[in-house]
Amino acid sequence: MASSVQRVTKRPRIWHAWAGSADQLERIGAVVADLVERRKESLVTKYLEDHPAPPDRETEQAQEHSYFPYTTHKAVTDAAIRDIEAACQFRASLTDRTSDEATGDLESIFAEFDRRTYRKIIFYCSFGGHEYVEKEKLLLTMERDTEEPGVRLVVESADPGWAKQASAEISEEVDKGSQRWGIIHSPFGMVGVTFVLWMLLATLIYLLTTLANFDWFIRSILVTIISLIVALGLMLIELTYWWMFPSMQILADGERSSGVRGLGYIALLLLTTVIAVAVNTIK
């Protein structure tokens, strides 16, 4: 008895932060487009293997002008192939900061691409419309200024080999722009950065209120001012955080990732604070 179990292989993956040039981004899109084209060809081949043609009419002593099983099979097969090809269409979607969205092929989307105004770009295949592709899914989302990981990949297929290959090829290209500091966007990373910033603020208050030679009135004023600055900082921390550590960034030629600069600023501030504490302690 034939098994009625239907299996689907899923290969999700995330990258917390990505930075690269527009050319790198376009190469990633080209990899996705090529995978879709190859998947379309393999699905057509599988359909033809599952639905072999009957013998042609010359070998069956059929009527001279028609052979119904053969001609019917050809018409059905041609229609099925058209449906499969129509169901396997690569698309790219570009969303800018005003939430305007443009969808089309790779060339037309990058003709409109502006690295200063983009917010999200998606490479995907609109699988659907035929039973041979209903289990397929390929979606690569690249987004900045988001609490989610900057790059999110979803690959699903009834063919485990293709799912693994698609995930591996896309991952290889995306990895070229993956940022090591992207762990900052993980829950543990955000807690770590917040802890460091709070420690710096606490140290600053300590320096101004304990080590400095101010009377209690001046110290009270300083503490009040610092408290107001901290409150304002908490209101702006989210904007500042995503500005310093974008989840996705398109770089100009020779430009470095903002995350690298952000870590440099924090490290410099931390070093300055440590030196200040050491100097005041020695005094």
Side-chain angles (χ1 to χ4, degrees):
M1 179 178 178
S3 175
S4 60
V5 176
Q6 294 183 340
R7 300 185 184 277
V8 176
T9 299
K10 299 183 179 182
R11 285 291 183 273
R13 189 177 172 187
I14 61 172
W15 292 260
H16 288 290
W18 185 92
S21 65
D23 289 340
Q24 285 179 281
L25 185 64
E26 190 168 4
R27 282 197 296 272
I28 292 173
V31 169
V32 178
D34 181 62
L35 283 165
V36 171
E37 187 65 27
R38 283 151 48 193
R39 184 57 178 157
K40 176 170 63 178
E41 293 173 357
S42 66
L43 287 170
V44 169
T45 300
K46 185 177 186 304
Y47 180 88
L48 294 175
E49 291 173 350
D50 292 345
H51 301 81
D56 62 38
R57 60 189 177 86
E58 282 78 7
T59 63
E60 291 293 319
Q61 299 179 355
Q63 297 179 8
E64 182 177 358
H65 297 296
S66 72
Y67 176 47
F68 183 74
Y70 181 79
T71 54
T72 301
H73 174 273
K74 186 177 187 306
V76 171
T77 299
D78 290 346
I81 291 175
R82 286 195 299 271
D83 289 343
I84 292 174
E85 291 178 342
C88 298
Q89 294 295 319
F90 168 80
R91 288 288 182 270
S93 173
L94 175 65
T95 305
D96 63 20
R97 290 180 177 177
T98 62
S99 296
D100 289 342
E101 184 177 350
T103 303
D105 57 31
L106 197 63
E107 184 178 354
S108 61
I109 286 299
F110 275 92
E112 297 188 11
F113 182 77
D114 186 342
R115 72 181 189 88
R116 298 167 298 179
T117 61
Y118 79 95
R119 184 172 64 85
K120 178 169 64 177
I121 186 164
I122 302 175
F123 302 120
Y124 67 99
C125 180
S126 55
F127 289 114
H130 194 276
E131 60 178 343
Y132 269 64
V133 299
E134 64 182 1
K135 302 296 183 183
E136 309 292 313
K137 184 175 183 180
L138 179 55
L139 176 67
L140 179 65
T141 304
M142 307 182 74
E143 185 175 7
R144 73 177 182 184
D145 302 334
T146 175
E147 295 182 0
E148 298 184 67
V151 182
R152 306 181 293 277
L153 172 65
V154 177
V155 180
E156 297 180 6
S157 178
D159 182 352
W162 182 81
K164 294 175 183 177
Q165 180 183 14
S167 179
E169 291 189 21
I170 295 173
S171 296
E172 181 181 5
E173 198 64 38
V174 175
D175 283 342
K176 296 176 182 178
S178 179
Q179 301 296 298
R180 294 181 179 179
W181 54 262
I183 191 65
I184 289 176
H185 284 299
S186 69
F188 292 108
M190 296 183 73
V191 170
V193 171
T194 303
F195 175 78
V196 170
L197 293 177
W198 274 110
M199 288 299 295
L200 288 173
L201 288 172
T203 303
L204 180 60
I205 293 175
Y206 171 76
L207 287 173
L208 292 176
T209 60
T210 304
L211 298 181
N213 294 320
F214 297 132
D215 59 33
W216 68 270
F217 180 71
I218 299 298
R219 291 178 182 178
S220 300
I221 294 177
L222 288 174
V223 170
T224 302
I225 293 174
I226 293 174
S227 299
L228 291 175
I229 293 174
V230 170
L232 180 62
L234 290 175
M235 295 172 60
L236 300 177
I237 190 169
E238 184 173 355
L239 293 176
T240 304
Y241 187 86
W242 295 114
W243 172 74
M244 291 178 65
F245 305 107
S247 53
M248 178 192 173
Q249 185 178 15
I250 304 300
L251 306 175
D253 292 339
E255 184 181 8
R256 299 185 68 185
S257 169
S258 296
V260 175
R261 296 197 300 269
L263 288 176
Y265 297 150
I266 292 178
L268 181 60
L269 181 59
L270 183 61
L271 178 61
T272 303
T273 304
V274 170
I275 294 174
V277 172
V279 170
N280 280 276
T281 302
I282 292 173
K283 289 182 178 180

